[in-house]
Amino acid sequence: MQLIGVPQKRVEDPRLITGRGRYTEDVRLPGMLHAAILRSPRAHARIQEIDVAAAQAADGVVAVYTGRDLAGKLGPIPTAWLPPDSDIKATAHPALAVDTVRYVGDGVAMVVAESAAAARDAIDRIKVRYEPMAAVVDQAQAMAEGAPLVHEDAPGNVAFHWKAGTVPEEAFTGAEVVVRRTFRQQRLIPNPMEPRAAVAQYDPSTGDLTLWATSQNPHIHRVLLSSVLGIPEHRLRVVSVDVGGGFGSKIACYPDEALTAYAAMALGRPVKWAETRVEHFQATTHGRDMVIDVELAGRRDGTMTAIRVKNLANMGAYLSTAAPGVPTILFGLIVTGAYTFQHAAVDVYGVFTHTTPTDAYRGAGRPEATYLVERMVDLFAGEIGMDPIEVRRRNLVRPEAFPYQSALGLTYDSGNYQRALDQALETVGYEEIRREQAALRQKGRYIGIGCTSYVEISGLGPSEVAGAVGFQGGLWESANIRVHPSGKVTVFTGGSPHGQGEETTFAQIVADRFGVPLADVEVVHGDTARIAMGWGTYGSRTTAVGGSAIAVAADRVIDKARKIAAHMLEAAEEDIEFRAGRFAVRGAPERAQTFQAVTLQAYLAWNLPEGVEPALEAAAYYNPSNFTFPFGTHIAVVEVDAETGDVQLLRYVAVDDCGKVINPLIAEGQVHGGIVQGIGQALWEGAVYSADGQLLTGSLLDYAMPKARFFPAFETAFTETPAPHNPIGAKGIGETGTIAATPTIVNAVVDALQPFGVQDLAMPLWPERVHQAIQAGRNGR
Amino acid sequence: MTTEVTIFVNGAEQTRAVEPRTLLVEFLREGLGLTGTHVGCDTSQCGACTVLLDGKAVKSCTVLAVQAAGQHVTTVEGIGSVEALHPVQAAFWEKHGLQCGFCTPGVMMTAIGLLQERPQPSEGEIRSALDGVICRCTGYQNIVRAVQDAAVRMAARDAQTASD
Ligand code: FES
Ligand code: FES
């Protein structure tokens, strides 16, 4: 049965829809204690004194720890992405602040108690005397002369300075048209619906520590935490099977999980820590927060020739695990987008501020890059008086140009960018909507059309490149396929899906190759005791890289089975065809053995061919030779109420190309979710700090999350241009929606406001801001 | 200081000693080990904790256990099983109405509450009814499809029961 490219209901769902998922907070162990963490209410202060006596004496309290108590016992939390030649100052994050707090939410003390309520009550009884110090929250201000320093060893609060590409001066001095603009990528709160949590259990007799944790990459957590905790890697087991979303925020190694593990070891009882939502706002990494200056050079015929980008990236108070990679490699190398710029240069400063550390958030760098280039295309089009669609058409990399070497040194693998653009235009009925727009304007109604033709870097990635760009890890993926004597199959993957559905996608790949029913294949992930090694789920890598590893391992299984089948059928190996779960002699299809019969023989080993070992399993460690480059075009139609500034989304069309689609149901779901998150950034979401470092948008009451009623049904479709360099042709679909939707919406709203002369708007496009822009335009005329 | 509270959960009488401040969701999760009802926030915004209280969808983080004394609570564990899914569960599975699944129990209970009041809701009514829940994964579109599908399934089921 054909299983690739066919919608399949997810195999992970039965447990999740019946309430039998096992998320970290659901873990309950006998004798378990509960931890709560006291967090700094100040953005920057010296800790003069911490008085824990009252907390210690409180009912049910078992232990109280401060930063001083942990000195020498619990290492600081390291940064694991160190871009080369960037003079990086990766000041490690102490698990609890020792003498200085550097952001609201910085951990100050931990209480462990018999119940969660007792622990929470007790942290209120800890008295901390702070000596307040001046704080800085904005990256440009942080770099200014005389700004308060976050770390003494980072002058000017510069955490790193990274550059890529060059643009000859003449590219701008001699240009017919130059457009300059500054864009602000506001700070976002990831807000997966499951807050972070950890449960630790220690067995002193063996030295084994088991940590259930909300992680996107349990093996990375194991490596990092074993060094933080000082316990041998093989004694630490990290389990993250059911994880309630991550969006990048569960990549990082945080102090809290390390503290929970430490307490379990110190106290000899299991300990649980679970973040509250308000805590999530302060203590889990944030996303975006960049101030980006762009200069674009072009010709009046619509050709874009050069782009120069300067990015001030707000890193927060410490460099989180993968954070330095986001505004550098993941952002910087893709600022040319899907277009044939001759020259490009990027100049990035990572800046410390007294705010929660930032790190990857769905798309991580690529949404910010796509935003700037897609906004610039529209501004450039306005400048030369050309339809922005026409500018895109003229500058998109042409299908015959692949593999295409970008100005910033990437090799875009494959694509037909025009086809996706054409299909999106046709679906939305572009010309028709332009006519409607003109007619409605006569009546004082303002609709706008916005477009984005993106390309993204995903399928992270070649390990050699990971090393060259300073990622302190590999980016290959592991697969282990064990066929059981009865022909049932267990697949072990190093990917760690947390909503993306790879228990199903991977089972499809294997069942399709083996010709067995989908139900005969089980996929195991998210447990370092069951999977030897893996790099986890982020950067739209799991299907492209982990799925490729699985395909390679499956083919190895088939190769071995073929040998056994040939022996059973007394035929030459070359004469054996394997199709639909049967090994048959070429030209004599009645001489055949089923996959299950061959498997059984592999285990019985009564009569194996010479040199073939018993059993049937295979491993593969797949290191991709290139990134993958998904692409597509999204188009939105919006209406702006000129009286209120309110934006209504009328239509949203997405044509995405993620290479070969394995499960269209899942792929479409990824697009839907991504679009909503991208629109969330464009229209509503934004974390706001006061000048002294208080997080003003500190809960779901003050931070606007997208709701169902804000959206029409999206019109989504796929084109398929396989990745040429991996065995399954898949590219990745997890982030395309978030990457494309934000500029699409802003382009549409700005387009709607053309009659008012509005050229740009700051995100999020809150009605008040849109209304002010309209008023300014009206008054200007 | 604790008091004994009896609540009928998924049809079974359950008595536990609770503090006055114990929330219904804590009663379910900590007291009974029914971890299918989730906690996603501390400000009653996310709806992950939604259950049926005497047949009406409520956020169990906004109800004290003592307030629910003597009442009937239905959680996700009580609506169906893998062998016999509730139509809403079957529809969420069929239409890919969930990704990470964390919001899902609350979203399904909200959907059941809606379908009891409006067996044939329009898309707009479904989207409005979902205002009390947040899903960060699905973009809601397949949740809407699932609720529409559930409406059809429930109508068919009711027709079946009527003809039996
Ligand atoms: S836990 Fe969020 S509304 Fe109840
Ligand atoms: S499925 Fe993940 S939050 Fe809804």
Side-chain angles (χ1 to χ4, degrees):
Chain A
M1 192 177 81
Q2 165 82 18
L3 281 170
I4 303 292
V6 180
Q8 295 291 332
K9 290 201 293 187
R10 299 199 318 171
V11 301
E12 41 274 86
D13 286 359
R15 68 176 186 271
L16 302 178
I17 54 179
T18 54
R20 312 213 173 263
R22 204 183 191 214
Y23 300 91
T24 301
E25 222 283 321
D26 300 340
V27 174
R28 275 140 177 74
L29 302 171
M32 188 168 75
L33 298 168
H34 298 261
I37 294 170
L38 176 67
R39 300 189 179 278
S40 171
R42 295 183 184 275
H44 192 200
R46 199 147 285 145
I47 300 174
Q48 291 181 321
E49 195 196 339
I50 306 180
D51 179 358
V52 299
Q56 238 147 10
D59 251 11
V61 169
V62 175
V64 182
Y65 301 107
T66 66
R68 288 197 191 283
D69 299 333
L70 301 178
K73 296 181 182 153
L74 191 58
I77 308 299
T79 304
W81 201 327
L82 309 169
D85 308 317
S86 67
D87 193 19
I88 189 163
K89 310 278 195 312
T91 309
H93 192 172
L96 290 172
V98 178
D99 40 36
T100 307
V101 290
R102 293 189 167 86
Y103 62 97
V104 169
D106 210 353
V108 174
M110 179 167 79
V111 171
V112 186
E114 296 290 344
S115 73
R120 279 197 302 270
D121 288 348
I123 59 172
D124 291 340
R125 304 180 75 165
I126 298 174
K127 288 188 200 60
V128 186
R129 207 144 47 80
Y130 293 104
E131 177 194 334
M133 295 196 279
V136 63
V137 301
D138 173 90
Q139 54 268 57
Q141 286 171 14
M143 289 175 78
E145 193 69 38
L149 284 185
V150 181
H151 299 285
E152 293 300 327
D153 62 345
N157 289 315
V158 175
F160 56 83
H161 181 199
W162 179 89
K163 290 180 181 198
T166 50
V167 175
E169 207 41 50
E170 315 82 72
F172 278 89
T173 49
E176 287 176 20
V177 185
V178 175
V179 183
R180 296 192 170 82
R181 192 65 53 169
T182 298
F183 300 111
R184 176 151 213 138
Q185 285 284 330
Q186 81 272 30
R187 183 179 279 247
L188 302 176
I189 311 283
N191 274 326
M193 291 328 294
E194 178 203 30
R196 282 188 303 125
V199 177
Q201 183 176 38
Y202 184 63
D203 181 344
S205 69
T206 59
D208 285 340
L209 179 75
T210 303
L211 182 71
W212 289 264
T214 48
S215 172
Q216 297 179 221
N217 30 244
H219 290 87
I220 293 181
H221 277 109
R222 182 173 65 160
V223 170
L224 294 175
L225 286 171
S226 83
S227 93
V228 170
L229 294 162
I231 71 169
E233 194 180 350
H234 65 293
R235 290 289 172 217
L236 177 57
R237 173 184 179 193
V238 180
V239 186
S240 312
V241 177
D242 285 330
V243 177
F247 312 109
S249 71
K250 292 171 182 169
I251 296 173
C253 186
Y254 292 89
D256 316 305
E257 289 82 346
L259 288 165
T260 307
Y262 172 81
M265 291 167 77
L267 301 171
R269 286 173 67 181
V271 177
K272 175 191 285 186
W273 167 79
E275 183 182 66
T276 65
R277 179 61 57 185
V278 165
E279 220 175 350
H280 176 85
F281 273 78
Q282 299 180 357
T284 294
T285 54
H286 296 171
R288 316 279 190 262
D289 204 343
M290 300 176 189
V291 178
I292 300 166
D293 293 324
V294 194
E295 298 173 280
L296 182 146
R299 293 198 291 265
R300 298 225 158 259
D301 68 359
T303 313
M304 301 188 292
T305 53
I307 189 162
R308 260 196 314 231
V309 177
K310 184 176 170 192
N311 179 358
L312 304 186
N314 192 334
M315 308 309 294
Y318 293 94
L319 295 179
S320 174
T321 311
V326 174
T328 54
I329 288 84
L330 295 175
F331 164 86
L333 296 184
I334 198 87
V335 297
T336 51
Y339 308 106
T340 54
F341 286 94
Q342 272 171 353
H343 307 289
V346 203
D347 188 2
V348 180
Y349 287 86
V351 186
F352 285 122
T353 61
H354 294 105
T355 61
T356 296
T358 57
D359 204 325
Y361 172 63
R362 199 171 191 175
R366 291 148 292 165
E368 298 93 317
T370 305
Y371 185 84
L372 75 87
V373 68
E374 291 299 319
R375 288 290 301 119
M376 289 305 277
V377 168
D378 273 32
L379 288 161
F380 173 66
E383 189 69 30
I384 61 173
M386 190 178 275
D387 186 317
I389 300 296
E390 188 53 32
V391 173
R392 285 183 173 82
R393 208 184 280 293
R394 285 185 189 212
N395 290 276
L396 286 173
V397 177
R398 304 211 55 81
E400 60 277 10
F402 293 95
Y404 173 78
Q405 182 88 18
S406 82
L408 286 159
L410 294 171
T411 305
Y412 294 0
D413 54 355
S414 63
N416 190 335
Y417 299 173
Q418 282 78 4
R419 180 168 61 164
L421 173 63
D422 288 339
Q423 190 172 326
L425 289 169
E426 195 185 309
T427 305
V428 81
Y430 185 68
E431 300 301 332
E432 176 68 29
I433 290 179
R434 282 284 179 219
R435 278 193 292 276
E436 193 185 333
Q437 179 182 44
L440 284 174
R441 274 180 189 170
Q442 301 305 315
K443 298 185 198 150
R445 283 181 58 192
Y446 302 94
I447 66 168
I449 308 155
C451 180
T452 286
S453 290
Y454 70 92
V455 62
E456 65 152 319
I457 322 174
S458 67
L460 310 183
S463 300
E464 301 77 4
V465 179
V469 300
F471 179 61
Q472 305 296 298
L475 285 171
W476 48 269
E477 200 46 87
S478 74
N480 200 310
I481 299 181
R482 186 175 304 156
V483 186
H484 304 286
S486 61
K488 309 290 186 210
V489 186
T490 302
V491 179
F492 301 87
T493 173
S496 195
H498 42 280
Q500 298 86 346
E502 271 96 358
E503 285 178 36
T504 308
T505 314
F506 286 175
Q508 283 176 257
I509 293 173
V510 172
D512 184 83
R513 273 182 149 71
F514 289 173
V516 301
L518 192 62
D520 284 4
V521 184
E522 174 205 22
V523 175
V524 174
H525 62 84
D527 184 347
T528 63
R530 300 188 73 188
I531 299 118
M533 185 54 200
W535 293 101
T537 290
Y538 42 84
S540 300
R541 66 187 304 274
T542 306
T543 298
V545 186
S548 292
I550 284 167
V552 172
D555 290 345
R556 287 181 184 157
V557 166
I558 293 169
D559 285 348
K560 179 171 178 180
R562 187 193 308 276
K563 287 191 174 65
I564 298 169
H567 191 68
M568 290 166 76
L569 294 163
E570 296 175 346
E573 201 187 320
E574 309 76 65
D575 289 338
I576 301 293
E577 289 180 321
F578 181 55
R579 202 177 303 135
R582 285 165 65 86
F583 294 92
V585 180
R586 200 184 313 273
E590 71 292 348
R591 283 176 63 202
Q593 291 286 351
T594 62
F595 181 76
Q596 289 79 4
V598 174
T599 302
L600 183 61
Q601 280 310 314
Y603 278 92
L604 294 175
W606 291 341
N607 182 17
L608 292 178
E610 181 101 16
V612 173
E613 290 178 353
L616 193 56
E617 61 180 314
Y621 301 87
Y622 180 80
N623 190 23
S625 60
N626 191 3
F627 298 102
T628 57
F629 295 85
F631 61 89
T633 292
H634 287 206
I635 297 179
V637 184
V638 302
E639 176 162 7
V640 182
D641 184 330
E643 300 314 310
T644 63
D646 190 46
V647 175
Q648 277 298 319
L649 181 58
L650 304 177
R651 305 250 325 257
Y652 197 98
V653 172
V655 178
D656 293 288
D657 193 318
C658 58
K660 184 76 200 149
V661 174
I662 295 169
N663 187 331
L665 197 62
I666 290 176
E668 189 195 32
Q670 288 293 309
V671 173
H672 291 164
I675 291 171
V676 160
Q677 264 176 298
I679 297 176
Q681 175 174 13
L683 295 181
W684 308 292
E685 296 184 41
V688 179
Y689 277 98
S690 67
D692 63 352
Q694 292 298 325
L695 181 60
L696 301 178
T697 50
S699 79
L700 288 175
L701 282 168
D702 343 88
Y703 183 90
M705 293 280 282
K707 295 283 189 74
R709 77 183 146 85
F710 302 164
F711 303 96
F714 308 135
E715 301 157 67
T716 60
F718 292 101
T719 61
E720 274 196 9
T721 312
H725 54 81
N726 74 39
I728 54 173
K731 290 190 171 185
I733 192 65
E735 295 161 301
T736 58
T738 324
I739 286 167
T742 313
T744 303
I745 295 294
V746 177
N747 279 347
V749 175
V750 172
D751 180 65
L753 300 183
Q754 289 297 306
F756 304 102
V758 173
Q759 287 205 340
D760 202 18
L761 287 160
M763 291 191 293
L765 309 185
W766 288 328
E768 180 193 4
R769 289 181 179 175
V770 175
H771 186 253
Q772 276 168 6
I774 293 169
Q775 289 307 113
R778 279 189 166 137
N779 296 338
R781 270 188 312 175
Chain B
M1 191 195 67
T2 58
T3 40
E4 293 234 314
V5 164
T6 298
I7 304 175
F8 299 88
V9 180
N10 299 330
E13 182 175 335
Q14 302 283 5
T15 303
R16 294 289 184 281
V18 301
E19 290 184 45
R21 65 172 170 177
T22 301
L23 302 171
L24 176 56
V25 68
E26 292 168 341
F27 181 90
L28 297 169
R29 287 182 61 83
E30 312 310 324
L32 308 183
L34 291 172
T35 55
T37 303
H38 296 151
V39 176
C41 73
D42 34 24
T43 51
S44 294
Q45 246 86 34
C46 76
C49 62
T50 305
V51 299
L52 301 182
L53 182 60
D54 276 350
K56 277 188 120 49
V58 299
K59 293 179 177 179
S60 63
C61 73
T62 60
V63 178
L64 296 168
V66 291
Q67 287 176 296
Q71 298 188 59
H72 286 264
V73 172
T74 308
T75 70
V76 66
E77 289 93 342
I79 57 173
S81 63
V82 173
E83 301 74 37
L85 293 174
H86 185 281
V88 167
Q89 290 172 311
F92 271 71
W93 190 10
E94 181 80 32
K95 298 296 176 191
H96 188 30
L98 61 147
Q99 291 182 19
C100 78
F102 193 81
C103 72
T104 312
V107 174
M108 291 194 305
M109 299 317 280
T110 306
I112 292 174
L114 166 71
L115 293 171
Q116 278 170 1
E117 276 168 34
R118 297 198 70 87
Q120 301 297 329
S122 68
E123 174 169 352
E125 285 171 333
I126 294 170
R127 287 184 182 267
S128 296
L130 293 171
D131 217 36
V133 300
I134 302 174
C135 172
R136 193 55 146 169
C137 297
T138 62
Y140 302 106
Q141 187 149 327
N142 287 345
I143 291 179
V144 173
R145 280 183 189 159
V147 178
Q148 288 168 328
D149 185 52
V152 173
R153 286 168 190 262
M154 286 171 80
R157 185 186 67 172
D158 294 347
Q160 182 69 38
T161 333
S163 72
D164 284 348

